[in-house]
């Protein structure tokens, strides 16, 4: 009951706010310390509801993507805010989420849409394909009033955050996954993941897109199957190539965005990574011959390029899935999933002390700390 | 629209009934048919109650009374089974017996098992019930010990038997049937049977089926309810079959078959919210030749042999710009050579021993990079002993399996060796009563499929076989009861356990097939069948089946789905049917019902699929024209109440639909 009132109050506030500001939307000043960290929460003065949004991917074909909310004050979980607010589901297989300005962007890969909502979860627009071929959004990043979305048919779309229209798209490599902005350039990991069983095989490039002209200027050669990215405070792009799960191993690389040179990092390795600016928090899984996995949680000094610790948490988590970071509070998130049951989110301080654990939906892939007025 | 079609069907039924009174010639022929039917029933029904392991049979008469059109509709009437039905005519349909999973069910067509070493399961949607004499489902070890060793190897078996030709006044018989129905269903069948001489006969059959499959359904998305149409659900297939039958007296009997199947279908996929993309298509080709030979050499000795060559080809295609080529194309070709031989020795009237041995080689090739092109040699040998009197049947068998595989590249699994015992007992405690008790035990397993072992990235050559242990106790009764001319009852309780279940398990980025699951099942199957004679040459047949399945995941206490009911397994399910036979127009009514199920392993509200009841009404009428040509008109309304339901989540089943067929036999 109390929660509902809160929501209603928050909703009312937001309505009045949007009435005032709906024309000159968004262009938000980027956090100078960490220019393109999508985890940057909106900088608000008045705080009414604090909590974490968790995007649950769901299972392919099950139309069970959901948006959970954990209220850090009441420690209550709302299983699916999106369904509650919009009386319809998010769709099938959510793949990424971004909070930018006063809006949340959710790439729903299976349903072939991008949902844009306000911070309460009310849908503002469901962006669908305008090109005739299906929109297959994978990952997103933001920069100067635009959201960039990798599309699995080999494009990156530029979405205007005021009009919520896809303005244009640029061709990149095959099956682009994560993307990051550094030094005025957009770096896109071209995985080629869907051609793995054809003679063509995986892609092994990172596209460099000039943001001003929005054209691809070059392709950098990397280890095959590049997927995940993070940018440090110096503008270095850290890139994980997944390899072929066989003779080419998972490899961590660093792209110097001044020279666009790629260097393999041999001192450590990662599959998942999150940037705290000067440091990276990473997770790496290794397998033995029987496919039992050992997980390391690596804290990496991105300035001096060295490992700080291999266990930024010591809590045993049976099936860790994704990691996340709220750079404002320094809260670290590890989600857990067995791909079968509802997942859990574990929250830690940057020193590795567990502060919360709560159950969300199936396959939690993104966690964001928010303060909603 | 639907209502109009309903009216049409009612009108047709009424017209049939009206005309029935006018035509007098047909009564005699109808009675003959009935008599034939009863004879068949009289042979078969007691066999099901005498069987030491659960056995259910739907014979020709039952199929005709209820106008059952395809195999999945027949199987849905059995107790203890769940049919995974992806909806529509072309939708995948597989059978799981007592929650053991489809890969533990063998499907046998005229004596020889249909195999698919790649997927390990058989899509039963492709079998029409035209010209089928019987469909039988046996669970555990069957009483017939004189059959292929493969039949000993499966936990459950679905056996389809085609009708052998019978000739009355002339040495040939021709048959044509045209069936049409909702959603563009068009299905003509041609059959010709020829008696060659006293010993030999041959038949040929061609069958074409097409359906647009674009049926409407209601999509519920939270508070948003929309009317949609199934897309990319069309299907076209051609089936050709030739049979040769030889009865050589002392030389034994031979039955040979040549079969060809060609199909193209759209794969509609699950309904995806907000998306209309459905570009997946599948092409299937299957060709096989098989022969069965049996000979009773003497009172004591019988021999049998089966051979089969099977070729199957599938091409899957998905058109989407996300693939570099603009599409993904998977081509798989499988070939299998199979031979089986057996001998039965019966030194005394009540005791027999059999030895059956099978040898097969299966090979898979496909268009994937670095494909291992696996080849599997399987040797199965079954030794069985049986003691059988009118009051007691006791059977024990031991199956030995040896499997070895070869690959052109990559890892190869270790050779497999296994002994699997089974015992069963059926006892009639009172001589004068048709009451029997039965008990059985079977140890069965399934070998990992080629997909489990070799599929790109996910395959795991270290897999062990998945084991299924079955215990069953039951009782049966059959006889006359009150106003019923025939009544049979059976009730069986069982306990099954699956261990080393082969499941796909996620690691951080890759899925791997692992022996990780354990499932425990407790269940109850009840079957009732009764026949009531009525005045005016009418009769009523009632059939009902009920299943209770408590099938829970006991893999790991720490899992959130520990002791949760496994997916797609209703606690309660059942079927009932009523068939009214009369001289005018035969009426059949049936229902299939299922309780709540879960789409995913965790038993939470979001994963729950609603219960449903589907009703079907049918009517048929036979005529004889000039004493020579038999005409039969048959109509059905399927899903009478237009119930919107899913068997597999987001694969909606069709709403109300109709079918009408006309057949001529000369």
């Amino acid at each position: 009951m109390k929660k509902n009132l809160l929501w209603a109050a928050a909703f009312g506030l937001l309505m009045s706010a949007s009435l005032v500001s709906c024309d000159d939307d968004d262009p938000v000043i980027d956090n100078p310390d960490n220019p393109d960290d999508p985890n940057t929460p909106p900088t608000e003065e008045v705080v009414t509801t604090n909590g974490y949004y968790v995007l649950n991917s769901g299972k392919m074909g099950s139309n069970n993507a959901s948006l959970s909310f954990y209220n850090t004050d009441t420690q209550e979980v709302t299983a699916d805010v999106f369904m509650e607010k919009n009386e319809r589901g998010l769709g099938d297989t959510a793949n990424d989420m971004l909070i930018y300005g006063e809006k949340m962007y959710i790439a729903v890969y299976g349903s072939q849409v991008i949902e844009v909502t306000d911070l309460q979860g009310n849908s503002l627009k469901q962006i669908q394909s305008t090109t005739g071929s299906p929109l297959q959004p994978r990952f997103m990043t933001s920069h100067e009033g635009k959201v960039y979305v990798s599309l699995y048919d080999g494009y990156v779309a530029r979405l205007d955050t005021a009009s919520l229209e896809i303005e244009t798209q640029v061709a990149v490599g095959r099956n682009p996954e994560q993307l990051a902005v550094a030094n005025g350039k957009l770096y896109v990991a071209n995985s080629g993941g869907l051609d793995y069983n054809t003679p063509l095989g995986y892609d092994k490039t990172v596209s460099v897109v000039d943001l001003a002209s929005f054209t691809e200027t070059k392709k950098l050669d990397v280890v095959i199957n590049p997927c995940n990215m993070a940018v440090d405070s110096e503008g270095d792009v850290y890139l994980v190539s997944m390899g072929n799960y066989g003779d080419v191993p998972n490899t961590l690389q660093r792209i110097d965005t001044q020279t666009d040179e790629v260097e393999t990092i041999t001192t450590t390795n990662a599959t998942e990574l999150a940037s705290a600016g000067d440091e990276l928090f990473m997770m790496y899984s290794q397998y033995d011959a029987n496919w039992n996995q050992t997980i390391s949680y690596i804290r990496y000094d991105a300035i001096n390029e060295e490992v700080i610790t291999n266990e930024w948490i010591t809590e045993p988590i049976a099936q860790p899935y994704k990691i996340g970071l709220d750079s404002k509070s320094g809260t670290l998130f590890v989600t857990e999933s067995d791909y079968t049951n509802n997942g859990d989110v574990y929250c830690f301080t940057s020193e590795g002390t567990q502060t919360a654990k709560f159950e969300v939906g199936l396959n939690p892939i993104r966690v964001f700390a928010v303060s909603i007025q | 629209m639907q209502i109009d079609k309903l009216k049409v069907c009612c009108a047709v039924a009424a017209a049939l009934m009206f005309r029935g009174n006018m035509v007098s010639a047909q009564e005699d022929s109808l009675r003959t048919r009935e008599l034939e039917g009863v004879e068949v029933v009289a042979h078969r029904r007691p066999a099901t109650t005498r069987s030491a392991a659960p056995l259910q049979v739907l014979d020709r008469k039952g199929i005709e009374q209820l106008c059952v059109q395809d195999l999945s509709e027949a199987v849905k009437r059995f107790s203890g089974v769940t049919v995974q039905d992806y909806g529509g005519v072309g939708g995948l349909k597989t059978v799981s017996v007592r929650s053991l999973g489809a890969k533990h069910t063998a499907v046998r067509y005229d004596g020889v098992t249909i195999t698919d070493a790649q997927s390990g399961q058989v899509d039963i949607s492709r079998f029409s019930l035209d010209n089928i004499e019987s469909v039988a489902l046996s669970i555990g070890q069957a009483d017939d010990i004189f059959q292929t060793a493969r039949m000993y190897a499966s936990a459950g078996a679905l056996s389809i038997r085609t009708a052998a030709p019978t000739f009355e006044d002339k040495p040939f018989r021709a048959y044509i049937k045209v069936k049409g129905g909702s959603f563009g269903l068009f299905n003509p069948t041609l059959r010709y049977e020829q008696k060659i001489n006293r010993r030999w006969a041959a038949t040929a059959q061609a069958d074409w089926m097409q359906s647009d499959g674009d049926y409407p359904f209601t999509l519920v998305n939270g508070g948003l309810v929309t009317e949609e149409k199934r897309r990319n659900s069309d299907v076209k297939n051609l089936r050709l079959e030739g049979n040769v039958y030889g009865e050589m007296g002392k030389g034994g009997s031979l039955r040979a078959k040549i079969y060809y199947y060609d199909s193209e279908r759209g794969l509609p996929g699950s309904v995806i919210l907000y998306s209309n993309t459905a570009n997946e298509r599948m092409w299937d080709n299957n060709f096989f030749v098989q022969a069965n030979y049996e000979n009773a050499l003497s009172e004591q000795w019988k021999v049998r042999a089966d051979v089969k060559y099977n070729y199957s080809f599938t091409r899957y295609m998905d058109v989407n710009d996300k693939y570099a080529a603009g599409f993904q194309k998977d081509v798989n070709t499988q070939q299998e050579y199979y031979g089986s031989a057996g001998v039965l020795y019966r030194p005394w009237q009540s005791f027999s021993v059999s030895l059956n041995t099978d040898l097969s080689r299966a090979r898979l090739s496909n268009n994937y990079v670095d494909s291992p092109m696996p080849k599997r040699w399987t040797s199965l040998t079954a030794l069985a002993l049986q003691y059988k009197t009118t009051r007691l049947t006791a059977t024990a068998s031991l199956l030995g399996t040896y499997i070895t595989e070869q690959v052109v590249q990559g890892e190869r699994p270790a050779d497999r060796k296994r002994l699997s015992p089974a015992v069963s007992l059926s006892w009639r405690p009172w001589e004068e009563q048709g009451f029997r008790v039965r008990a059985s035990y079977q140890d069965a397993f399934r070998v990992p499929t080629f997909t489990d072992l070799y599929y790109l990235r996910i395959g795991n050559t270290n897999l062990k076989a998945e084991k299924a242990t079955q215990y069953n106790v039951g009782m049966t009764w059959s006889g006359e009861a009150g106003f019923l001319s025939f009544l049979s009852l059976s009730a069986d309780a069982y306990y099954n356990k699956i261990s080393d279940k082969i499941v796909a398990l996620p690691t951080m980025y890759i899925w791997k097939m692992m022996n990780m699951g354990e499932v425990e099942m407790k269940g109850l199957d009840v079957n009732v069948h009764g026949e009531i004679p009525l005045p005016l040459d009418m009769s009523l047949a009632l059939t009902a089946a009920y299943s209770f399945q408590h099938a829970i995941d006991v893999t790991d206490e720490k899992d959130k789905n520990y002791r949760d009911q496994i997916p797609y397994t209703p606690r309660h399910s059942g079927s009932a049917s009523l068939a009214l036979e009369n001289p005018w127009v035969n009426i059949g009514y049936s229902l299939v019902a299922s309780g709540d199920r879960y789409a995913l392993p965790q038993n939470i509200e979001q994963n729950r699929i609603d219960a449903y009841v589907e009703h079907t009404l049918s009517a048929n009428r036979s005529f004889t024209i000039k004493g020579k040509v038999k005409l039969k008109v048959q109509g059905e309304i399927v899903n009478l109440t237009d119930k919107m339901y899913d068997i597999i989540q987001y694969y909606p089943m069709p709403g109300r639909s109709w079918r009408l067929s006309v057949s001529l036999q000369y």
Side-chain angles (χ1 to χ4, degrees):
Chain A
M1 207 45 212
K2 191 183 161 196
K3 201 181 78 189
N4 287 344
L5 277 173
L6 242 171
W7 276 111
F11 182 69
L13 266 171
L14 195 101
M15 281 303 284
S16 53
S18 63
L19 279 176
V20 181
S21 65
C22 72
D23 286 334
D24 49 16
D25 211 22
D26 283 343
V28 170
I29 308 131
D30 288 329
N31 182 340
D33 288 331
N34 188 13
D36 290 289
D37 181 2
N39 296 330
T40 307
T43 43
E44 292 293 337
E45 296 296 316
V46 189
V47 171
T48 54
T49 308
N50 296 300
Y52 306 136
Y53 270 121
V54 181
L55 180 68
N56 306 298
S57 184
K59 181 174 176 276
M60 197 178 109
S62 301
N63 295 308
N64 58 350
S66 61
L67 182 66
S68 302
F69 185 78
Y70 173 73
N71 186 316
T72 43
D73 306 324
T74 63
Q75 286 157 23
E76 278 172 25
V77 177
T78 308
D80 192 355
V81 174
F82 189 89
M83 177 66 90
E84 234 170 62
K85 295 282 169 179
N86 304 292
E87 294 187 329
R88 61 181 178 87
L90 204 43
D92 184 64
T93 322
N95 202 66
D96 195 18
M97 175 170 159
L98 189 69
I99 297 184
Y100 187 49
E102 296 295 313
K103 296 190 181 101
M104 306 202 279
Y105 300 82
I106 301 169
V108 192
Y109 173 73
S111 283
Q112 306 177 336
V113 295
I114 301 166
E115 279 287 354
V116 186
T117 72
D118 61 21
L119 290 183
Q120 328 293 317
N122 297 296
S123 178
L124 302 173
K125 187 177 180 185
Q126 188 187 57
I127 299 168
Q128 295 183 324
S129 173
T130 50
T131 62
S133 71
L135 183 76
Q136 298 174 84
R138 296 292 289 179
F139 289 94
M140 299 179 292
T141 191
S142 58
H143 185 68
E144 293 181 345
K146 310 288 179 191
V147 166
Y148 297 92
V149 190
S150 59
L151 305 178
Y152 229 30
D153 56 356
Y155 289 90
V156 170
R158 188 173 76 196
L159 179 68
D160 184 74
T161 55
S163 67
L164 299 183
E165 299 284 342
I166 292 174
E167 295 176 325
T168 180
Q169 58 182 37
V170 60
V172 289
R174 290 179 284 131
N175 309 135
E177 297 280 10
Q178 292 196 352
L179 60 185
V181 176
N183 252 330
K185 294 177 282 188
L186 180 67
Y187 290 81
V188 186
N190 301 313
S191 73
L194 291 182
D195 299 319
Y196 73 99
N197 64 352
T198 72
L200 197 57
Y202 288 105
D203 203 331
K204 50 171 184 179
T205 60
V206 167
S207 290
V208 183
V209 175
D210 174 58
L211 283 177
S213 60
F214 204 53
T215 49
E216 185 190 66
T217 54
K218 58 181 138 178
K219 277 195 169 98
L220 311 179
D221 277 343
V222 296
V223 174
I224 61 164
N225 196 11
C227 285
N228 298 339
M229 281 183 169
V231 189
D232 73 5
S233 57
E234 299 177 313
D236 286 348
V237 171
Y238 291 83
L239 170 74
V240 174
S241 285
M242 305 303 297
N244 62 2
Y245 311 99
D247 57 337
V248 182
N250 181 106
T251 309
L252 179 64
Q253 295 144 96
R254 183 167 62 97
I255 304 169
D256 181 331
T257 57
Q258 301 291 340
T259 60
D260 283 338
E261 272 172 18
V262 184
E263 180 199 356
T264 297
I265 295 173
T266 52
T267 52
T268 187
N269 208 339
T271 40
E272 289 287 328
L273 61 183
S275 172
D278 294 346
E279 286 177 6
L280 299 178
F281 287 88
M282 312 194 287
M283 178 160 73
Y284 178 56
S285 52
Q286 286 166 290
Y287 308 91
D288 65 15
N290 293 318
W291 297 95
N292 297 312
Q293 62 178 358
T294 320
I295 310 288
S296 349
Y297 298 89
I298 303 127
R299 185 172 178 175
Y300 186 76
D301 181 336
I303 307 300
N304 299 311
E305 307 297 339
E306 59 190 25
V307 173
I308 300 167
T309 170
N310 276 323
E311 40 182 20
W312 52 262
I313 56 164
T314 49
E315 185 82 14
I317 297 174
Q319 281 158 307
Y321 183 46
K322 300 284 170 181
I323 59 171
L325 168 68
D326 173 35
S327 48
K328 194 179 164 196
S329 64
T331 307
L332 288 156
F333 306 104
V334 179
T335 72
E336 184 178 31
S337 173
D338 60 3
Y339 292 79
T340 298
N341 297 294
N342 278 343
D344 291 301
V345 177
Y346 296 77
C347 309
F348 301 95
T349 65
S350 53
E351 300 314 312
T353 310
Q354 187 177 319
T355 53
K357 180 198 168 186
F358 53 93
E359 183 176 312
V360 287
L362 185 61
N363 293 336
I365 49 166
R366 287 282 176 268
V367 188
F368 294 94
V370 284
S371 303
I372 308 163
Q373 44 165 278
Chain B
M1 264 317 272
Q2 291 299 325
I3 305 264
D4 287 351
K5 283 172 186 164
L6 186 71
K7 278 182 190 160
V8 170
C9 280
C10 291
V12 168
L16 285 173
M17 200 176 290
F18 180 68
R19 275 201 54 199
N21 293 326
M22 315 284 282
V23 185
S24 54
Q26 53 88 29
E27 273 188 31
D28 286 339
S29 71
L30 194 71
R31 207 165 285 147
T32 328
R33 264 195 49 246
E34 256 187 8
L35 276 173
E36 281 171 14
V38 170
E39 251 179 56
V40 173
V41 170
H43 281 304
R44 193 147 284 121
R45 288 257 158 69
T48 66
T49 52
R50 203 191 298 145
S51 172
L55 173 70
Q56 296 171 76
V57 178
L58 185 66
D59 58 21
R60 183 80 233 148
K61 190 182 178 195
I63 291 167
E64 287 189 348
Q65 277 175 338
L66 299 168
C67 302
V68 181
Q69 296 281 346
D70 68 49
L71 188 56
S72 70
E73 286 177 23
V75 177
K76 280 174 188 172
R77 288 156 215 274
F78 290 149
S79 67
V81 293
T82 39
V83 176
Q84 310 285 59
D85 186 339
Y86 287 75
V89 176
L92 174 71
K93 291 163 183 63
T94 61
V95 185
S96 167
V97 174
R98 291 183 168 177
S99 322
L100 296 168
K103 288 168 185 153
H104 284 280
T105 310
V107 178
R108 187 159 75 138
Y109 193 58
D110 275 339
V112 183
T113 314
I114 291 166
T115 51
D116 184 333
Q118 185 182 11
S119 73
Q121 60 185 21
V122 179
D123 179 2
I124 62 165
S125 74
R126 71 185 226 205
F127 299 101
S128 115
L129 286 189
D130 219 54
N131 200 36
I132 297 297
E133 183 185 280
S134 69
V135 178
L137 177 81
S138 56
I139 299 173
Q141 173 182 259
D143 275 6
D144 178 5
I145 60 165
F146 191 45
Q147 52 183 338
T148 63
R150 258 184 192 167
M151 288 302 285
Y152 290 85
S154 58
L158 194 60
S159 302
I160 306 156
R161 186 121 212 131
T162 60
T166 49
F167 302 98
E168 284 153 26
D169 49 346
K170 55 185 185 302
F172 68 92
R173 194 155 69 168
Y175 175 85
I176 180 169
K177 180 179 177 182
V178 178
K179 181 165 74 180
S182 305
F183 323 125
L185 176 70
F186 175 60
N187 178 199
T189 304
L190 263 176
R191 185 165 67 244
Y192 184 76
E193 298 168 353
Q194 177 73 50
K195 188 171 178 176
I196 298 165
N197 57 32
R198 196 165 52 86
R199 295 182 160 166
W200 294 89
T203 67
Q205 178 166 329
D207 186 329
W208 168 262
M209 201 272 292
Q210 68 179 57
S211 165
D212 302 332
D214 55 345
Y215 54 86
F217 66 96
T218 306
L219 177 62
V220 179
N221 170 15
L224 191 66
V225 179
T226 50
E227 295 303 319
E228 311 271 340
K229 242 183 183 187
R230 204 73 175 114
R231 300 160 64 98
N232 195 38
S233 181
D234 60 296
V235 58
K236 274 188 272 204
N237 65 47
L238 171 71
R239 214 177 354 233
L240 302 172
E241 191 176 323
N243 291 286
V244 175
Y245 304 84
E247 286 297 339
M248 296 160 290
K250 286 198 164 167
S253 67
L254 181 78
R255 203 170 163 157
K257 183 190 295 290
I258 181 163
Y259 179 97
Y260 177 75
Y261 173 79
D262 187 356
S263 111
E264 178 187 343
R265 57 184 155 167
L267 303 177
S270 66
V271 171
I272 299 293
L273 297 179
Y274 318 120
S275 162
N276 276 326
T277 308
N279 297 321
E280 293 171 287
R281 292 195 83 71
M282 185 84 154
W283 290 261
D284 285 286
N285 269 129
N286 181 210
F287 167 77
F288 67 77
V289 279
Q290 71 184 43
N292 165 265
Y293 175 78
E294 261 186 63
N295 196 359
L297 302 173
S298 67
E299 283 286 300
Q300 284 82 39
W301 292 92
K302 261 175 145 181
V303 290
R304 51 155 287 276
D306 285 282
V307 286
K308 183 177 181 177
Y309 165 75
N310 187 71
Y311 168 88
S312 65
F313 166 90
T314 62
R315 180 158 58 105
Y316 160 89
M317 184 112 145
D318 182 21
V319 177
N320 191 312
D321 287 339
K322 67 190 178 184
Y323 308 110
F327 58 83
Q328 184 186 336
K329 187 166 86 175
D330 296 345
V331 179
N332 289 284
T333 308
Q334 290 187 79
Q335 289 189 75
E336 189 190 50
Y337 297 92
Y338 169 75
S340 171
V343 56
L344 180 81
Y345 175 56
R346 185 191 278 187
W348 307 285
Q349 184 63 31
S350 55
F351 179 76
S352 44
V353 53
S354 77
L355 185 69
N356 291 285
T357 183
D358 292 16
L359 188 65
S360 63
R361 195 200 76 175
R363 198 180 74 182
L364 167 71
S365 56
N366 51 34
N367 65 332
Y368 306 146
V369 169
D370 300 331
S371 170
M373 311 279 173
K375 239 185 242 177
R376 172 183 289 171
W377 287 90
T378 307
S379 156
L380 299 171
T381 303
L383 176 71
L385 306 170
Q386 189 168 63
Y387 176 79
K388 193 171 187 174
T389 64
T390 52
R391 288 182 61 187
L392 181 73
T393 305
T395 311
S397 68
L398 187 65
L399 172 74
T401 306
Y402 174 73
I403 296 172
T404 184
E405 291 184 28
Q406 293 167 355
V407 290
V408 295
Q409 56 192 328
E411 304 269 306
R412 168 191 103 80
D415 293 350
R416 296 171 201 283
K417 296 182 198 96
R418 197 172 159 79
L419 285 176
S420 323
V423 286
S424 60
L425 188 81
S426 166
W427 179 50
R428 187 164 62 156
W430 300 284
E431 186 76 61
E432 61 284 0
Q433 283 284 338
F435 174 77
R436 284 177 173 267
V437 289
R438 62 189 177 190
S440 59
Y441 157 81
Q442 189 202 29
D443 171 275
F445 67 100
R446 79 162 181 94
V447 181
T449 65
F450 283 161
T451 300
D452 296 336
L453 292 167
Y454 303 112
Y455 193 75
L456 290 148
R457 301 199 293 208
I458 189 171
N460 181 357
T461 50
N462 294 328
L463 287 176
K464 293 176 280 190
E466 176 178 311
K467 292 158 203 73
T469 316
Q470 302 195 79
Y471 301 88
N472 186 83
V473 289
M475 52 196 179
T476 64
W477 186 87
S478 67
E480 281 182 37
F483 57 92
L484 297 154
S485 62
F486 178 80
L487 175 67
S488 81
L489 301 164
S490 75
D492 288 276
Y494 60 87
Y495 171 80
N496 294 347
K497 178 135 191 174
I498 290 267
S499 51
D500 283 334
K501 190 179 167 76
I502 298 171
V503 291
L505 277 191
T507 55
M508 198 170 290
Y509 272 95
I510 337 165
W511 289 73
K512 271 280 158 195
M513 301 307 297
M514 307 275 237
N515 289 104
M516 258 309 276
E518 257 182 65
V519 185
E520 214 175 71
M521 303 94 173
K522 287 174 196 145
L524 183 70
D525 293 338
V526 180
N527 288 69
V528 183
H529 177 83
E531 280 167 22
I532 307 165
L534 297 172
L536 296 171
D537 215 6
M538 299 194 295
S539 71
L540 192 65
L542 295 132
T543 307
Y546 165 78
S547 304
F548 169 75
Q549 295 181 80
H550 182 259
I552 55 171
D553 188 314
V554 290
T555 309
D556 189 344
E557 258 181 286
K558 293 192 289 290
D559 290 341
K560 287 179 184 173
N561 65 322
Y562 182 66
R563 299 192 75 80
D564 276 5
Q565 183 89 351
I566 61 170
Y568 294 118
T569 309
R571 279 278 157 94
H572 306 278
S573 58
S575 70
S577 63
L578 258 177
L580 176 70
E581 293 233 313
N582 61 65
W584 309 288
V585 59
N586 300 322
I587 305 285
Y589 161 79
S590 61
L591 69 82
V592 172
S594 167
D596 287 357
R597 290 136 295 142
Y598 293 94
L600 294 173
Q602 199 175 8
N603 290 181
I604 52 175
E605 184 57 27
Q606 291 99 300
N607 296 338
R608 195 176 59 80
I609 309 175
D610 287 336
Y612 68 86
V613 182
E614 191 194 69
H615 306 262
T616 300
L617 192 63
S618 64
N620 72 75
R621 157 95 212 223
S622 298
F623 309 88
T624 304
I625 302 168
K626 293 182 179 169
K628 282 181 179 171
V629 179
K630 282 182 190 166
L631 168 73
K632 187 174 180 188
V633 182
Q634 175 175 314
E636 302 115 64
I637 305 166
V638 184
N639 196 353
L640 196 62
T641 59
D642 204 22
K643 173 79 181 169
M644 289 290 138
Y645 71 100
D646 290 0
I647 291 180
I648 304 296
Q649 193 186 34
Y650 290 111
Y651 282 84
M653 299 295 288
R656 186 187 303 118
S657 65
W658 61 273
R659 291 187 299 227
L660 188 67
S661 70
V662 179
S663 64
L664 284 168
Q665 184 180 301
Y666 177 71

